[in-house]
């Protein structure tokens, strides 16, 4: 997580830091999710506030929230009940995905073990 960065950084650095395309960052700005300050030449200079906003967007997207849900949360900071409903559902969905992935991992471990044993028998 970004912690009180005092300097400003360019879009390409933000892109690398968060694993987002420059196009995505521009898109988020275009639809109003981000408000990135610009210098006299019109170059985006991400400050601490805009970096914190990118960080929030990245985590919300990773948790499965839609752009519409993220925009709603960011535009209505005082609607706690509405936010909790969205976030609890996202957490529930994410836990389901995690459990599904754990089951898939168990299956893969089983198949790896099976094929490894089969391969080892052929070597002897």
């Amino acid at each position: 997580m970004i912690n009180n960065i005092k300097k400003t950084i360019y879009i390409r650095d933000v892109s690398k830091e968060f694993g987002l395309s420059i196009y995505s960052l521009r898109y988020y700005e275009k639809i109003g999710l981000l408000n990135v300050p610009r210098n006299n030449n019109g170059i985006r200079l991400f400050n601490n506030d805009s970096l914190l906003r990118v960080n929030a967007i990245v985590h919300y997207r990773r948790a499965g929230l839609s752009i519409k849900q993220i925009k709603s949360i960011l535009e209505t900071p005082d609607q706690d009940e509405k936010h909790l409903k969205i976030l609890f559902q996202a957490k529930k969905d994410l836990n389901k995905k995690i459990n599904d992935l754990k089951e898939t991992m168990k299956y893969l471990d089983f198949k790896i073990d099976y094929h490894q044993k089969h391969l080892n028998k052929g070597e002897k």
Side-chain angles (χ1 to χ4, degrees):
M1 181 174 184
I2 304 300
N3 291 322
N4 295 325
I5 293 177
K6 301 295 183 204
K7 63 178 185 166
T8 56
I9 61 175
Y10 296 104
I11 194 168
R12 72 176 174 273
D13 301 316
V14 176
S15 172
K16 289 177 188 174
E17 174 75 22
F18 289 96
L20 293 171
S21 68
I22 291 173
Y23 171 82
S24 293
L25 291 164
R26 289 179 180 145
Y27 174 72
Y28 293 155
E29 185 179 26
K30 180 180 176 182
I31 64 171
L33 286 179
L34 282 174
N35 183 14
V36 182
R38 294 174 186 249
N39 68 11
N40 292 339
N41 295 324
I43 296 172
R44 291 170 185 85
L45 296 174
F46 286 75
N47 59 18
N48 193 57
D49 290 340
S50 52
L51 291 172
L52 290 172
R53 180 65 69 103
V54 172
N55 188 58
I57 293 166
V58 166
H59 284 289
Y60 286 144
R61 292 295 290 153
R62 201 178 292 156
L65 272 67
S66 68
I67 295 292
K68 183 178 177 181
Q69 289 172 315
I70 296 169
K71 193 168 187 174
S72 174
I73 287 172
L74 296 176
E75 290 178 350
T76 59
D78 59 339
Q79 293 186 10
D80 297 323
E81 194 172 316
K82 179 181 178 182
H83 297 181
L84 284 172
K85 183 178 178 183
I86 293 168
L87 296 174
F88 277 128
Q89 184 61 51
K91 186 174 178 179
K92 180 181 174 184
D93 294 345
L94 194 55
N95 274 322
K96 168 90 170 84
K97 288 178 186 176
I98 290 168
N99 288 331
D100 290 346
L101 287 171
K102 285 179 180 178
E103 285 298 315
T104 299
M105 187 64 79
K106 285 180 190 176
Y107 180 78
L108 289 176
D109 287 340
F110 167 76
K111 293 304 286 183
I112 288 168
D113 186 54
Y114 171 83
H115 290 291
Q116 192 66 52
K117 285 178 183 174
H118 189 261
L119 184 63
N120 291 343
K121 283 182 184 176
E123 291 176 357
K124 292 180 180 179

